[in-house]
Amino acid sequence: MFPSIANRLNRRYRSAVILTVVPGGILFTADLVRQLDFEIEMDGISCPHTPGDRHNNSNISYQQNITVSNKDVIIVDDAIESGGTMSRLVAHIAEYFPASIAVATLFVKPHRIAIPTEQYYAYETATDELLVGYGLPWQNKFRNLPCVKRLIK
Ligand SMILES: O=P(O)(O)OC[C@H]1O[C@H](OP(=O)(O)OP(=O)(O)O)[C@H](O)[C@@H]1O
Ligand SMILES: Nc1nc2[nH]cnc2c(=O)[nH]1
């Protein structure tokens, strides 16, 4: 699964902090990290989001269980739609003086804003339609679907 992302990360890094955006990014992280051959530390961050909301202003919750200062950080999430959540997370982590910040996601959507950082993604979707499963919820359910489906309301 996701050989293109894992291969690119394996070529780029000797070590990194994998910072999972929880809970959505948990399933993708679990599969991705098992394909990484460099040293990793793992931590989590959250910024709760309502699917389809393009202006996520919720509080960022980051306990900093491990320090990221002077370390390479890879923020891992399931999807980028507007890009608003991830650009806020990148700006937030930058305040902790990491050596670098990259973003790895399973999906990116076409109308996302530019995020000025290294980016790795598996799939660019053709439209902004909502997906569920494999971490992605609908009304906080269905995250545990083992595959990703289009949401038909
Ligand atoms: O690019 P944006 O439009 O800001 O959307 C991206 C956010 O949406 C997803 O969260 P999800 O809907 O899975 O909810 P969660 O944060 O509770 O996992 C994803 O995990 C990002 O956090
Ligand atoms: N549930 C859900 N959340 C998202 N956040 C960004 N894109 C999506 C999506 O397709 N589904």
Side-chain angles (χ1 to χ4, degrees), residues 49 51-52 78-82 109 128-132 136-138:
H49 171 261
D78 46 14
I80 290 178
E81 184 167 300
S82 66
K109 303 213 182 156
D128 280 347
E129 66 193 329
L130 281 177
L131 306 171
V132 292
L136 291 157
W138 179 246

Side-chain angles (χ1 to χ4, degrees), residues 88-107:
R88 287 184 60 214
L89 293 175
V90 167
H92 189 82
I93 293 304
E95 292 173 9
Y96 294 86
F97 306 107
S100 71
I101 305 177
V103 168
T105 55
L106 186 55
F107 294 104

Side-chain angles (χ1 to χ4, degrees), residues 103-135:
V103 168
T105 55
L106 186 55
F107 294 104
V108 293
K109 303 213 182 156
H111 295 107
R112 65 194 183 280
I113 57 172
I115 302 172
T117 194
E118 282 178 72
Q119 283 187 54
Y120 302 82
Y121 57 83
Y123 304 105
E124 179 161 19
T125 59
T127 70
D128 280 347
E129 66 193 329
L130 281 177
L131 306 171
V132 292
Y134 195 71

